[in-house]
Amino acid sequence: MKNLISLYYLKENEEGTVVDIYDENDITVMLLNMGIKKGDSIKVLQNSFNGQLIVMVKDTKLAIGQGISDKIIVEKKES
Amino acid sequence: MKNLKVAVAGNPNCGKTSLFNNLTGSHQSVGNWPGVTVEKREGLIKYKKLKINFIDLPGIYGLTTFSTDELIARNYLLKEKPDIVINIVDSTNLERSLYLTTQLIELGMTVILALNKRDLAKKRNIKINKGKLASYLGVKVVTLVASKNRGTKKILDKIYRIHNGKEQVNKVQIKHFKVIEDEIARIKDLINKDPELTDTYTARWLAIKLLEKDSFVRKNIKASKLYNEITETADKSMEFVKSSFNDEKETVIANSRYGFIASVIKESVYSKNTDFTKLSDIIDRFVTSKYLGIPVFLFFMWIIFQLVFNISSPAVNTLESFFNIAGESIIILFGKNIITKVIAEAIIGGVGSVIIYLPNILVLFLAVAVMEDSGYMTRVAFIMDRYMHKIGLHGKSFLPMILGFGCSIPAFMGSRIIENRKNRIVTMLVTPFMSCGAKLPVYILLIGTFFPGKWQGTILFMIYLTGVITAIAAGSFLKKYLLKGAPSHFIIELPPYKIPSIKNLLIHMWNKTWIYIKKAGSVILLASITIWILINYPVNNELNKNHTTLIRQIHSSYARGDISSIEMNKIISSLERKQSIKRVNSSFAGKIGHFIEPVIKPLGFDWKTGISIIAGIGGKEIIISTLSTIYSVSKQDHSGLRQALVDDPEFDLTVGMSLLAFTLFFIPCLPAILTFFKEVDLKWTLFMISYLTVSSYIFSFLVYQGGKIVQQHLL
């Protein structure tokens, strides 16, 4: 069964694959610029549960705010 | 021979600044990009008889139109058509980095791809086949370690060989998927029918951008008679592409670029996946943690302000005595005349009183440079995002605010990283609460005069902290009532920590310090001389005559033997003091000062401080130089401003605190106000001036009146 949730809910050290980005164009373009796109694997390094995340995408460490983390839909990887 | 134009482009944090410094060394000039107040750095060097002008483009991730930085870079590349673009990329993060590269290639640029951080890539077992990468992308490839200044000569050599035709760059086209290519061809054919369109841009680039619905390109071709036909075709093509990829967004083209990159990387990069915890991750566990983040940040700031005071105080004291002695010596050596008085009182007294705080400024700028270059600043943006988000801004707003510690002008410019206009205005409106480098001397003078040594650093820290908290509170208020709007989205890269290179720190620090010195030699010099004239003129002849008569009488009573020589000298020097105070009071400055005195009296300020505050609108350091000039003229000695304030019974701790508060909250200097106006508009500029004036008055009033009550109860 596929486990689709927004990145917001991933806990520390959990991983997911980007399935969709839920928005008008802006966030998608911003994320593409920073190297995040559909099919990429995202690992959450820190989640303080107010939507602020530190994530790892390939070799880039990114800090993401609430407005964005809740719009990235991922398929959670079972560890 | 014409200079060769070479642009340096790359992502933020990829080592671009280091490379630019390596290439140009000290031959740098700082200016502005046309039309916007964004800093533009250039450097002209000579290499093997070849004159190369390097231009540092803003750090960008792409060439879209979402941020001012990207637009600046894009317009430069399109209009100036540099001969060569050096695209510096992070070897350990090639996929993301090449996204910009593909867009440079699409623009038809001649690209030298500089693979930076080669040492790190080796450590991580990333092997890059340079030859394959070069031929797939149609670029020249060079490896380097910018932080250690390795590979700089290789780049210069490449530029030289390309220019002399010894090496050819076989450009390629970024091939998109067939479906997309077909549509590009269709739009291209249409564009080619109007030759005017392809004067500046290539048809292919225009076609791709029209397909991507790039608003700026659309505006640019509006004059064409084919405008309607072209845009309709482009829209139809996009719909077709979207439906064939089952995607509902225009970003399908961007995805296709990543598809191209993925295949290039597959063919030319070999990396073994090694999983290891990096030192950066361990540091981040503390520095960005939910509970420790803020305390750690405050602790760092506290340390910085301790250093600002403690490291520099011997140097400050030495400089101060030097200027005092210099002022005295000139009068003693060359006698008292108008020239020596201008030099001693206006130039040495005024400008010198500002120059002596250079050591403090140096330490603060160095500390901010270390925070920026080490990568810590982006973490600050992250930890502040939690609070900034609550007030409707985001963490990135905090970055220009920190720049405000240096100077409000770059901070106003730096706020361009905030995409949303309303949020940008809010950020700019609260930036003046971040005490700028020019306010620092005022704080140091007042704190140094009125507080004991061991508390000075902490008091300074508290002042800055008060500013930060006020900025956040004011931001919250403005956002809630005046500039409502959606919060912008926060995303920022956290680069691995690195030890800043001494060379970069020095260049960074020097560029900022030089501005301070130039200001002292121009604006402040001019202000000091103006004030000096205002204090010494008009000459009151009657007053002088009375004074001379009095002195003569004293001399004759000494001659008669009525008083001893000691008594005579005592009376004369007391008369001299009274006379100079009378003279200053009847001068232009004195008259203006007394005129405004009733307004500022409730804040504890006399006319001297009043004049200084008004003059200080030209630049905050001028508060000091003006006070210093007034005191040295009216006291007729050159013992320095600190001593003068201690000797003045009217200027006590409460007045000092009140002036501290006033300086913290008052409007920024004139050049900063003009920058604000250029960046925003007249309405908000007037708003900023009035709300800061009112808030500084209120705060200063509360501090002074509160201080007086405390004093009365304690005494």
Side-chain angles (χ1 to χ4, degrees):
Chain A
M1 194 190 79
K2 276 191 173 180
N3 194 355
L4 292 183
I5 48 173
S6 97
L7 188 63
Y8 185 104
Y9 296 106
L10 281 198
K11 296 191 190 79
E12 265 158 43
N13 290 320
E14 287 187 334
E15 255 183 286
T17 310
V18 180
V19 177
D20 203 357
I21 293 152
Y22 224 75
D23 89 304
E24 343 67 74
N25 242 349
D26 300 28
I27 296 180
T28 316
V29 173
M30 255 168 123
L31 290 174
L32 272 169
N33 267 352
M34 308 293 284
I36 301 181
K37 58 202 174 301
K38 282 186 201 175
D40 277 348
S41 167
I42 290 193
K43 186 179 179 184
V44 174
L45 298 180
Q46 191 184 320
N47 185 347
S48 21
F49 292 100
N50 45 14
Q52 266 204 313
L53 302 177
I54 295 183
V55 299
M56 202 74 186
V57 182
K58 302 215 174 60
D59 272 316
T60 312
K61 196 191 269 186
L62 296 166
I64 301 181
Q66 184 181 334
I68 295 186
S69 64
D70 205 23
K71 294 203 169 75
I72 302 177
I73 312 298
V74 296
E75 186 189 330
K76 191 174 150 188
K77 282 186 193 163
E78 298 303 332
S79 46
Chain B
M1 197 182 65
K2 207 169 110 278
N3 295 343
L4 203 63
K5 264 190 280 188
V6 178
V8 183
N11 295 164
N13 309 310
C14 68
K16 190 169 65 67
T17 309
S18 299
L19 174 64
F20 185 77
N21 288 342
N22 294 341
L23 287 168
T24 58
S26 54
H27 305 274
Q28 288 185 15
S29 62
V30 184
N32 277 347
W33 291 94
V36 280
T37 44
V38 173
E39 191 178 273
K40 177 188 189 185
R41 296 202 302 157
E42 285 183 81
L44 182 70
I45 63 147
K46 230 174 143 182
Y47 180 76
K48 290 187 184 169
K49 286 182 188 160
L50 189 62
K51 276 190 186 155
I52 312 172
N53 193 27
F54 287 102
I55 295 103
D56 192 18
L57 296 180
I60 45 171
Y61 292 104
L63 289 174
T64 51
T65 53
F66 271 88
S67 72
T68 320
D69 281 346
E70 292 187 10
L71 263 178
I72 290 170
R74 197 168 101 166
N75 285 338
Y76 175 81
L77 295 170
L78 284 169
K79 301 213 169 100
E80 296 291 320
K81 296 194 169 60
D83 299 288
I84 292 170
V85 176
I86 302 171
N87 177 203
I88 177 167
V89 298
D90 180 348
S91 307
T92 63
N93 196 342
L94 214 49
E95 181 179 319
R96 211 266 319 276
S97 310
L98 289 181
Y99 185 61
L100 175 64
T101 315
T102 55
Q103 293 175 70
L104 290 171
I105 297 167
E106 266 174 3
L107 268 180
M109 295 293 147
T110 303
V111 176
I112 297 178
L113 191 67
L115 299 173
N116 192 22
K117 304 189 189 173
R118 184 181 149 74
D119 48 348
L120 212 63
K122 261 189 184 161
K123 235 192 243 168
R124 293 201 199 160
N125 283 321
I126 301 170
K127 291 196 183 90
I128 301 171
N129 186 326
K130 286 197 288 176
K132 278 189 177 174
L133 196 60
S135 71
Y136 286 135
L137 292 170
V139 298
K140 291 288 164 192
V141 177
V142 172
T143 54
L144 69 149
V145 185
S147 58
K148 291 178 186 149
N149 198 359
R150 268 188 237 149
T152 313
K153 202 169 164 293
K154 278 195 278 184
I155 292 187
L156 291 171
D157 238 31
K158 268 285 186 259
I159 295 172
Y160 182 76
R161 293 175 66 85
I162 292 173
H163 177 71
N164 280 359
K166 286 183 184 155
E167 270 189 55
Q168 296 293 323
V169 182
N170 302 310
K171 292 184 193 170
V172 299
Q173 262 175 16
I174 307 292
K175 269 265 182 265
H176 290 275
F177 296 113
K178 177 79 168 55
V179 183
I180 301 176
E181 283 295 339
D182 286 349
E183 299 308 314
I184 292 174
R186 196 193 308 277
I187 305 169
K188 218 174 95 180
D189 286 344
L190 207 55
I191 291 171
N192 277 330
K193 282 185 193 161
D194 183 351
E196 272 174 33
L197 285 177
T198 48
D199 271 356
T200 27
Y201 318 118
T202 67
R204 182 179 165 83
W205 185 78
L206 281 179
I208 294 172
K209 284 293 148 186
L210 284 167
L211 200 54
E212 283 189 298
K213 301 212 166 150
D214 186 295
S215 54
F216 280 79
V217 168
R218 282 199 179 213
K219 243 184 264 164
N220 259 324
I221 65 158
K222 202 134 209 178
S224 168
K225 52 188 184 298
L226 293 172
Y227 176 77
N228 286 332
E229 201 180 335
I230 292 175
T231 48
E232 270 163 36
T233 312
D235 287 347
K236 252 186 246 160
S237 293
M238 192 68 228
E239 286 313 310
F240 179 69
V241 170
K242 281 200 277 193
S243 70
S244 24
F245 284 95
N246 205 2
D247 196 330
E248 74 278 17
K249 287 179 196 150
E250 276 75 37
T251 44
V252 59
I253 311 278
N255 277 317
S256 147
R257 277 185 205 118
Y258 269 114
F260 173 82
I261 293 167
S263 52
V264 169
I265 286 187
K266 205 174 151 205
E267 293 298 318
S268 49
V269 180
Y270 317 91
S271 68
K272 263 185 254 160
N273 232 342
T274 41
D275 207 20
F276 54 96
T277 317
K278 282 167 277 173
L279 187 62
S280 280
D281 295 331
I282 299 170
I283 298 174
D284 272 343
R285 219 159 274 173
F286 299 100
V287 163
T288 63
S289 114
K290 192 176 177 181
Y291 304 105
L292 287 175
I294 295 279
V296 167
F297 172 57
L298 292 178
F299 179 70
F300 281 149
M301 296 307 286
W302 183 77
I303 296 265
I304 288 173
F305 291 116
Q306 292 294 329
L307 294 178
V308 165
F309 253 110
N310 297 340
I311 291 190
S312 19
S313 68
V316 171
N317 291 337
T318 313
L319 279 172
E320 191 182 24
S321 341
F322 168 76
F323 281 120
N324 292 345
I325 292 169
E328 299 274 6
S329 322
I330 284 175
I331 300 280
I332 292 169
L333 284 175
F334 301 101
K336 221 176 211 181
N337 58 47
I338 183 158
I339 295 170
T340 54
K341 274 169 83 180
V342 167
I343 294 176
E345 292 167 359
I347 300 177
I348 296 178
V351 178
S353 67
V354 170
I355 294 280
I356 59 171
Y357 296 107
L358 206 56
N360 304 104
I361 303 272
L362 274 173
V363 175
L364 182 68
F365 283 168
L366 183 67
V368 173
V370 169
M371 275 174 53
E372 269 184 52
D373 287 4
S374 63
Y376 180 62
M377 212 64 119
T378 55
R379 272 73 178 181
V380 173
F382 172 72
I383 55 174
M384 290 310 289
D385 183 57
R386 206 183 316 158
Y387 303 92
M388 303 298 274
H389 188 83
K390 278 198 189 124
I391 67 167
L393 296 172
H394 68 46
K396 268 195 213 166
S397 291
F398 202 69
L399 295 180
M401 282 163 70
I402 292 242
L403 285 180
F405 283 159
C407 173
S408 293
I409 295 172
F412 287 153
M413 297 174 187
S415 66
R416 67 183 185 270
I417 57 168
I418 299 151
E419 297 85 6
N420 180 308
R421 180 178 149 90
K422 281 186 179 172
N423 292 344
R424 192 174 164 219
I425 296 178
V426 173
T427 308
M428 289 173 70
L429 282 173
V430 303
T431 297
F433 292 124
M434 313 297 282
S435 303
C436 71
K439 289 182 182 174
L440 184 65
V442 183
Y443 298 156
I444 298 209
L445 167 76
L446 295 171
I447 295 172
T449 310
F450 295 109
F451 291 93
K454 61 176 178 179
W455 286 103
Q456 292 174 347
T458 309
I459 302 266
L460 186 62
F461 167 71
M462 299 295 285
I463 288 173
Y464 275 78
L465 192 64
T466 310
V468 174
I469 293 170
T470 314
I472 295 179
S476 165
F477 176 83
L478 291 167
K479 194 82 182 89
K480 210 164 175 184
Y481 298 105
L482 294 173
L483 285 149
K484 288 176 210 162
S488 25
H489 303 296
F490 176 67
I491 181 164
I492 196 166
E493 187 181 352
L494 304 178
Y497 288 103
K498 63 169 199 273
I499 295 171
S501 89
I502 304 287
K503 186 178 171 186
N504 285 344
L505 285 183
L506 289 180
I507 291 182
H508 203 127
M509 195 174 77
W510 175 246
N511 282 343
K512 286 186 178 162
T513 310
W514 180 235
I515 295 173
Y516 186 82
I517 296 175
K518 267 203 301 204
K519 207 169 150 194
S522 55
V523 184
I524 293 168
L525 177 65
L526 196 70
S528 299
I529 293 177
T530 312
I531 292 290
W532 188 87
I533 293 171
L534 289 178
I535 296 171
N536 281 289
Y537 294 91
V539 179
N540 191 332
N541 284 326
E542 200 174 328
L543 204 67
N544 285 351
K545 231 161 84 197
N546 290 344
H547 179 68
T548 332
T549 324
L550 266 176
I551 299 279
R552 252 191 229 130
Q553 282 169 0
I554 307 276
H555 275 287
S556 46
S557 21
Y558 169 68
R560 283 199 304 271
D562 292 350
I563 49 172
S564 69
S565 74
I566 299 171
E567 276 174 314
M568 177 187 74
N569 284 337
K570 227 175 173 178
I571 296 171
I572 289 183
S573 67
S574 130
L575 275 176
E576 291 276 1
R577 256 203 309 274
K578 279 183 197 150
Q579 165 70 6
S580 53
I581 290 170
K582 272 187 210 156
R583 243 188 21 214
V584 169
N585 278 342
S586 69
S587 70
F588 287 124
K591 281 179 185 148
I592 301 171
H594 286 295
F595 179 70
I596 57 164
E597 211 175 43
V599 183
I600 50 170
K601 200 84 207 167
L603 312 182
F605 304 153
D606 65 359
W607 69 273
K608 296 196 272 303
T609 315
I611 286 276
S612 309
I613 289 170
I614 293 175
I617 295 173
K620 299 289 166 191
E621 311 95 323
I622 297 176
I623 297 180
I624 290 190
S625 60
T626 308
L627 271 178
S628 181
T629 309
I630 297 179
Y631 273 108
S632 65
V633 172
S634 57
K635 279 186 57 185
Q636 295 292 309
D637 71 16
H638 308 279
S639 55
L641 185 52
R642 269 194 276 189
Q643 192 54 44
L645 292 184
V646 173
D647 293 344
D648 185 346
E650 298 290 311
F651 209 114
D652 61 0
L653 174 67
T654 347
V655 177
M657 296 273 283
S658 174
L659 185 55
L660 271 180
F662 194 85
T663 311
L664 173 57
F665 294 110
F666 197 45
I667 55 173
C669 64
L670 205 57
I673 292 176
L674 286 175
T675 310
F676 188 100
F677 170 68
K678 263 194 274 176
E679 296 276 317
V680 191
D681 59 21
L682 182 64
K683 188 183 98 187
W684 285 110
T685 311
L686 293 176
F687 174 79
M688 176 184 70
I689 293 174
S690 32
Y691 106 99
L692 289 176
T693 308
V694 170
S695 65
S696 60
Y697 195 91
I698 293 174
F699 272 99
S700 178
F701 180 82
L702 292 176
V703 167
Y704 179 65
Q705 299 298 338
K708 264 203 338 203
I709 292 170
V710 172
Q711 246 178 357
Q712 278 162 5
H713 283 261
L714 286 181
L715 293 173

